[in-house]
Amino acid sequence: MSNDHGNNGGNGNGGNGGGNGDNGNGKKMRRSEHWFGGTSKDAFIHRSWMKNQGIPDDSFDGRPVIGICNTWSELTPCNGHFRQLAEKVKQGVLQAGGLPLEFPAMSLGESNMRPTAMLFRNLAAMEVEESIRAHPLDGVILLVGCDKTTPALLMGAASVNLPTLVLSGGPMLNGRYRGESIGSGTHVWKFSEAVRGGQMSQAEFMKAESCMSRSAGHCMTMGTASTMASMVEALGIALPENAAIPAVDARRHTLAQMAGRRIVEMIEENLRPSDILTRDAFENAMRINAAIGGSTNAVLHLLAIAGRVGVDLSLDDWDRAGREVPTILNLMPSGKYLMEDFYYAGGLPVILRRLGEAGMLKRDALTVTGQTAWENNRDAECFNEDVIKPLADPLVASGGIAVLTGNLAPLGAVIKPSAATPALMQHRGRAVVFENIEHYKARVDDPALDIDADSIMVLKNCGPKGYPGMAEVGNMGLPAKLLAQGVTDMVRISDARMSGTAYGTVILHVAPEAMAGGLLALVQDGDEIEVDVAGRGLHLHVSEDEIARRRAAWEAPKAPASGYAKLYFDHVLQADKGVDLDFLVGCRGDAVPRESH
Ligand code: FES
């Protein structure tokens, strides 16, 4: 089947490399035929070296070549099963008559990478973009799992705009500890606070470690990995059910095969990311994020992905899109269940159907199936209404991400109300300031620290430039002496991010960040700060004269002197623009690079 979606390969200087020649049979040349077609010396070179892998002659007969971009790594445990998944994708590609060729991409694992995997998201995106463009590929499947691998690969592929399909690796099975379900990340924070507050022994804490991560897959709470797996399904760039099938469920392998088959058809249909990643698709994703109680990290990643395809998405869009949407998914950290339960309850198709029926979905948004979002999901069935709640009986009446602005965050800051304490959403308190994460660690449990439950904890220099890399440290643990008193939440403000598995009244992504000279840099102990989530305000109550005096005395912390960290530091955009590198924004297309032999 052939269906031209009217796209010639990007809105930059790219074009459809396959559209500018003929292959000798009067047919349009595929992009890959610029390498593998014909009888020239160059074609000899391209084919001959490939044949050392045992690829037969007729594999180069003009059939579509599919790149399988694999983020497998033993250092990224969430993606540790991707070799098997890639084999299933290959089977699907072969069944559909394509030639699958697997290639590696920089793998970004949250649990091991320092200072933070986010520092390298844009580096991986750049690597993926150039790898796709440089090679004889007609389309790509992106194998993604751990948090940053999803946005990194999609950002890179979107800047090339070849037919692209995202396949997530799937969540781990539920953690189980002493007969209870425990969630990735969420229970680490809970248990570690319990140890610090004296309610859990160190020995029990160590026992829980093996009980949490007990199968292949990524974090099984609605953390950033599950959120981003849901986002790609909601955007329509992944197949239906991509988000929730557990990594070890046989149906994940089936989905991988179906993805392999489908990408071959997408190439024939010339169905590209720019056809799918439209404003409507982003509207759907933002609303789905509200409905699932998704991670605040999705704000940054979707802004960055939108920037790659020329969709003008803003923080205001995030605030508006989510306001009317209730959170109906009862998953940790906002609720009680885990991703395995979500799949058995019907998965993301149920949420898409519910929003579609309520007029909250752009039903006509095109997806990788060639069908619309509504056509894909209109028949979804729910099998557990306590996991996926009806819209009339939601977990949180108004989900979504609230965007706060004011003198403390002129470009915006975000909070996830569904994870916060209602009583703290309107709060005025005295700042207790930590200049950086080391200062926080050294000071938070000092018995002499002048802090109480009404104080506002302020952390500086953890933003995009500050850490560098905008680490997930915004959900600072509370002082042990307050935990021991039974305090469970306090207002916390920073330019950092927060793990999607975390919770609390945590105001994040303050922009401009302290390191870039934002007002946050000038906050001092004892300053009055006012938080008004309903009114979307965030204000520092210090006189203009005093601010001017502090600014004159302020010195920017030292910037990285060399290496990738310097490139990143010099070019990274602030949180309100998605933390992409300024020179990577936009689509540069799939034009075939010039020959080198
Ligand atoms: Fe990889 Fe959470 S650590 S998804």
Side-chain angles (χ1 to χ4, degrees):
M1 71 185 144
S2 176
N3 169 25
D4 192 291
H5 290 268
N7 187 296
N8 70 352
N11 52 8
N13 58 1
N16 181 356
N20 54 3
D22 121 7
N23 62 3
N25 300 322
K27 285 207 294 190
K28 255 187 177 180
M29 273 177 83
R30 288 190 199 285
R31 188 173 186 277
S32 57
E33 286 184 271
H34 287 268
W35 283 259
F36 295 144
T39 54
S40 67
K41 174 197 75 176
D42 292 329
F44 175 107
I45 291 170
H46 295 307
R47 287 190 302 258
S48 176
W49 264 261
M50 291 299 281
K51 285 179 179 177
N52 83 341
Q53 299 176 97
I55 301 175
D57 261 339
D58 63 4
S59 297
F60 303 106
D61 59 1
R63 67 187 66 195
V65 179
I66 288 84
I68 302 170
C69 183
N70 197 342
T71 49
W72 168 84
S73 166
E74 287 178 342
L75 287 165
T76 305
C78 305
N79 299 11
H81 58 300
F82 279 17
R83 284 169 155 175
Q84 297 93 303
L85 211 56
E87 290 307 315
K88 293 295 177 186
V89 174
K90 283 181 200 172
Q91 280 179 19
V93 170
L94 290 167
Q95 286 157 9
L99 172 62
L101 296 171
E102 186 182 344
F103 67 99
M106 182 181 188
S107 192
L108 308 174
E110 289 301 305
S111 55
N112 286 325
M113 277 191 117
R114 293 183 182 181
T116 164
M118 182 64 177
L119 176 60
F120 308 109
R121 183 198 66 180
N122 303 333
L123 180 62
M126 188 158 62
E127 183 214 0
V128 166
E129 176 185 343
E130 299 306 332
S131 289
I132 294 172
R133 189 178 296 111
H135 283 114
L137 300 175
D138 300 305
V140 284
I141 298 245
L142 310 176
L143 292 193
V144 300
C146 200
D147 298 12
K148 304 304 175 294
T149 53
T150 306
L153 269 57
L154 186 51
M155 287 161 68
S159 282
V160 186
N161 201 33
L162 280 176
T164 298
L165 198 157
V166 180
L167 177 70
S168 301
M172 289 185 252
L173 296 176
N174 291 359
R176 298 290 293 172
Y177 174 66
R178 297 175 76 100
E180 303 286 333
S181 283
I182 60 169
S184 315
T186 303
H187 273 84
V188 180
W189 321 132
K190 277 198 202 313
F191 290 158
S192 110
E193 298 278 272
V195 171
R196 291 176 65 233
Q199 297 99 16
M200 186 181 200
S201 72
Q202 195 66 46
E204 287 298 319
F205 185 64
M206 303 315 293
K207 263 193 216 157
E209 190 176 288
S210 312
C211 305
M212 199 180 70
S213 313
R214 63 188 187 92
S215 82
H218 59 68
C219 291
M220 77 322 246
T221 40
M222 187 46 78
T224 305
S226 298
T227 298
M228 290 312 296
S230 302
M231 291 297 90
V232 290
E233 186 174 336
L235 285 166
I237 197 83
L239 290 174
E241 302 207 320
N242 174 73
I245 305 174
V248 296
D249 193 303
R251 289 164 285 188
R252 176 64 60 184
H253 287 164
T254 308
L255 190 77
Q257 274 188 72
M258 300 315 288
R261 291 184 191 177
R262 179 61 196 149
I263 189 67
V264 176
E265 294 175 347
M266 285 173 65
I267 291 166
E268 300 305 333
E269 295 166 14
N270 195 24
L271 182 54
R272 294 170 182 251
S274 55
D275 300 310
I276 293 166
L277 300 175
T278 59
R279 172 158 273 282
D280 279 0
F282 285 97
E283 288 285 335
N284 284 345
M286 290 186 292
R287 291 174 191 179
I288 290 293
N289 189 266
I292 63 176
S295 163
T296 45
N297 283 320
V299 177
L300 303 172
H301 299 323
L302 260 60
L303 288 171
I305 295 164
R308 297 303 186 104
V309 290
V311 170
D312 186 18
L313 202 68
S314 70
L315 281 178
D316 288 344
D317 291 319
W318 271 98
D319 192 82
R320 172 191 46 75
R323 264 192 204 223
E324 67 195 66
V325 183
T327 300
I328 55 173
L329 185 59
N330 190 4
L331 252 59
M332 296 178 205
S334 302
K336 139 176 172 200
Y337 295 101
L338 293 166
M339 287 299 286
E340 193 183 338
D341 308 305
F342 183 27
Y343 180 54
Y344 303 149
L348 201 71
V350 176
I351 308 248
L352 282 150
R353 177 180 176 173
R354 292 213 167 140
L355 294 200
E357 285 170 341
M360 294 177 181
L361 190 77
K362 301 285 185 185
R363 290 186 179 198
D364 294 334
L366 187 64
T367 76
V368 286
T369 64
Q371 308 278 300
T372 66
W374 180 243
E375 287 166 339
N376 284 346
N377 299 294
R378 65 184 165 202
D379 296 325
E381 281 185 81
C382 180
F383 305 110
N384 187 332
E385 300 238 326
D386 195 39
V387 177
I388 308 174
K389 299 177 88 59
L391 282 166
D393 177 28
L395 187 71
V396 180
S398 176
I401 305 285
V403 177
L404 312 183
T405 51
N407 68 345
L408 195 48
L411 299 179
V414 304
I415 182 170
K416 183 175 169 185
S418 64
T421 301
L424 291 172
M425 306 274 254
Q426 178 95 37
H427 186 77
R428 192 168 172 140
R430 161 177 85 82
V432 175
V433 177
F434 306 101
E435 294 298 326
N436 50 45
I437 195 67
E438 289 74 26
H439 187 222
Y440 159 78
K441 285 179 182 165
R443 198 177 180 217
V444 67
D445 285 335
D446 180 350
L449 182 66
D450 182 13
I451 191 166
D452 61 33
D454 291 329
S455 302
I456 294 182
M457 297 170 73
V458 175
L459 176 63
K460 303 177 183 177
N461 295 311
C462 295
K465 290 175 189 277
Y467 208 73
M470 207 178 180
E472 291 186 331
V473 292
N475 58 316
M476 293 163 264
L478 306 186
K481 66 180 180 186
L482 298 185
L483 289 170
Q485 290 167 20
V487 176
T488 54
D489 194 11
M490 290 169 67
V491 175
R492 287 158 272 180
I493 299 175
S494 74
D495 46 15
R497 295 178 302 118
M498 168 172 92
S499 163
T501 62
Y503 50 87
T505 309
V506 184
I507 296 166
L508 303 153
H509 309 183
V510 167
E513 64 179 306
M515 185 93 175
L519 187 57
L520 186 69
L522 309 181
V523 181
Q524 293 184 356
D525 276 347
D527 289 350
E528 285 271 316
I529 294 177
E530 186 178 0
V531 175
D532 175 10
V533 176
R536 301 298 196 252
L538 184 61
H539 289 277
L540 176 72
H541 290 286
V542 171
S543 73
E544 288 299 323
D545 286 353
E546 174 61 13
I547 287 173
R549 192 189 63 72
R550 291 182 194 176
R551 188 165 295 288
W554 180 73
E555 273 181 44
K558 249 181 149 181
S562 63
Y564 169 70
K566 175 166 171 50
L567 177 76
Y568 168 90
F569 183 92
D570 289 346
H571 292 279
V572 72
L573 298 168
Q574 288 291 288
D576 63 309
K577 300 288 183 208
V579 196
D580 203 354
L581 301 185
D582 53 11
F583 62 88
L584 291 177
V585 174
C587 177
R588 286 162 284 281
D590 70 344
V592 175
R594 78 162 67 109
E595 188 51 74
S596 61
H597 305 115

